[in-house]
């Protein structure tokens, strides 16, 4: 597709289970970002990839959170042993190499609900 | 610590009114962006401002970047119901080694018919 694609769009899980969230960036975009957004709030930075490398993982809330990117394309955000406070919308964005910093193209997000 | 602050947090106005929302920081930014987000969707880029003092217009929306590149404002003239949404400012801090883009907490705008 032409835009950033995220899956699943909705995920309901039980506390303690692991979840994987997937992001397919726009083809050719080298930078990829993950953000978390709680209801009605701004975006909390989680992690940034340039190619397959993550220069800054400091936004990840705990060691239960991890992310990887393969082939300079698809990225997966994994949350282990989910907790209720992990409930939020997880947004992925990409931007092209050479584009202006901050000009991001977002997916529609994955809404995670932890019961 | 919120590197980017926005005010007001909530704004409810009648259709046809004018409004201004603000984005402030103590840090210098190489550029600032404004996004609009509607429920159930990701943010959509409206504009980028780069030069201190820059003013950009997008139909009824006017964006300004502060001279010191630490703040920005968004002015909407004759608001319409379609302007309803969450307005987010964002930026990459000047001098960072990579493009870590941070967002403000947003201004939730409701335009009442």
């Amino acid at each position: 597709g032409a835009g950033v694609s995220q899956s699943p769009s909705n995920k309901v899980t039980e506390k303690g289970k692991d979840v994987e969230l997937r992001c397919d960036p726009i083809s050719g975009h080298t930078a990829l970002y993950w953000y978390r957004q709680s209801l009605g709030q701004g975006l909390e930075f989680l992690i940034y990839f340039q190619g397959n490398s993550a220069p800054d993982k400091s936004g990840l809330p705990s060691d239960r959170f991890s992310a990887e990117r393969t082939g300079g394309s698809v990225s997966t955000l994994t949350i282990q042993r989910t907790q209720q406070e992990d409930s939020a919308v997880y947004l992925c964005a990409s931007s092209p190499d050479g584009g202006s910093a901050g000009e991001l193209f977002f997916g529609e997000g994955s809404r995670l609900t932890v019961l | 610590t919120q590197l980017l602050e926005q005010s007001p947090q909530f704004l409810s106005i009648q259709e046809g009114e004018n409004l201004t929302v603000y984005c402030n920081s103590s840090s210098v930014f190489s550029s600032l962006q404004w996004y609009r987000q509607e429920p159930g969707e990701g943010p959509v880029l409206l504009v980028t401002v780069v030069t201190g003092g820059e003013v950009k217009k997008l139909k009824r929306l006017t964006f300004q970047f502060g001279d010191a590149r630490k703040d920005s404002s968004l002015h909407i003239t004759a608001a319409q119901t379609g302007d309803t949404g969450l307005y987010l400012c964002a930026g990459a801090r000047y001098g960072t080694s990579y493009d870590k883009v941070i967002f403000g907490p947003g201004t939730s705008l409701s335009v009442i018919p």
Side-chain angles (χ1 to χ4, degrees):
Chain A
V4 176
S5 178
Q6 292 189 245
S7 61
S9 55
N10 270 290
K11 176 72 176 179
V12 180
T13 189
E14 293 180 346
K15 177 181 173 181
K17 301 284 190 182
D18 297 351
V19 297
E20 283 190 353
L21 308 176
R22 176 187 168 105
C23 173
D24 254 301
I26 293 173
S27 179
H29 281 195
T30 56
L32 186 147
Y33 298 77
W34 283 100
Y35 291 88
R36 179 168 71 174
Q37 186 176 33
S38 299
L39 186 63
Q41 301 298 307
L43 277 63
E44 175 189 3
F45 172 86
L46 298 179
I47 191 168
Y48 157 81
F49 287 93
Q50 180 62 38
N52 292 335
S53 299
D56 185 359
K57 301 179 181 180
S58 63
L60 295 175
S62 74
D63 59 8
R64 297 186 295 104
F65 287 72
S66 62
E68 66 174 11
R69 189 180 185 193
T70 56
S73 181
V74 173
S75 177
T76 302
L77 177 68
T78 301
I79 309 173
Q80 295 179 310
R81 304 181 303 281
T82 52
Q83 303 293 313
Q84 288 182 334
E85 60 263 28
D86 299 334
S87 296
V89 176
Y90 290 81
L91 289 160
C92 175
S94 67
S95 68
D97 192 26
S100 294
E103 294 190 341
L104 307 183
F105 296 82
F106 281 87
E108 293 191 343
S110 292
R111 179 177 297 278
L112 174 65
T113 302
V114 182
L115 302 177
Chain B
T1 302
Q2 192 68 259
L3 289 177
L4 277 172
E5 298 181 343
Q6 290 188 243
S7 62
Q9 185 178 0
F10 298 98
L11 188 57
S12 180
I13 62 170
Q14 294 287 333
E15 196 169 23
E17 292 184 348
N18 302 332
L19 67 114
T20 303
V21 298
Y22 300 92
C23 175
N24 297 285
S25 176
S26 57
S27 300
V28 176
F29 286 83
S30 56
S31 66
L32 271 179
Q33 286 74 36
W34 284 92
Y35 289 81
R36 182 169 69 209
Q37 184 180 26
E38 298 187 26
E41 299 182 4
V44 175
L45 178 68
L46 295 174
V47 77
T48 294
V49 286
V50 178
T51 306
E54 181 177 6
V55 176
K56 279 191 173 179
K57 292 192 175 183
L58 184 66
K59 297 183 180 178
R60 294 176 294 101
L61 278 60
T62 301
F63 305 85
Q64 185 162 7
F65 201 11
D67 291 341
R69 290 186 293 155
K70 293 182 178 182
D71 55 85
S72 181
S73 63
L74 159 59
H75 182 79
I76 301 179
T77 302
Q80 300 176 357
T81 55
D83 296 327
T84 293
L86 181 67
Y87 288 81
L88 297 155
C89 66
R93 288 177 62 191
Y94 182 78
T96 52
S97 59
Y98 64 94
D99 295 338
K100 179 176 180 177
V101 181
I102 61 171
F103 282 77
T107 292
S108 179
L109 172 65
S110 176
V111 181
I112 303 167

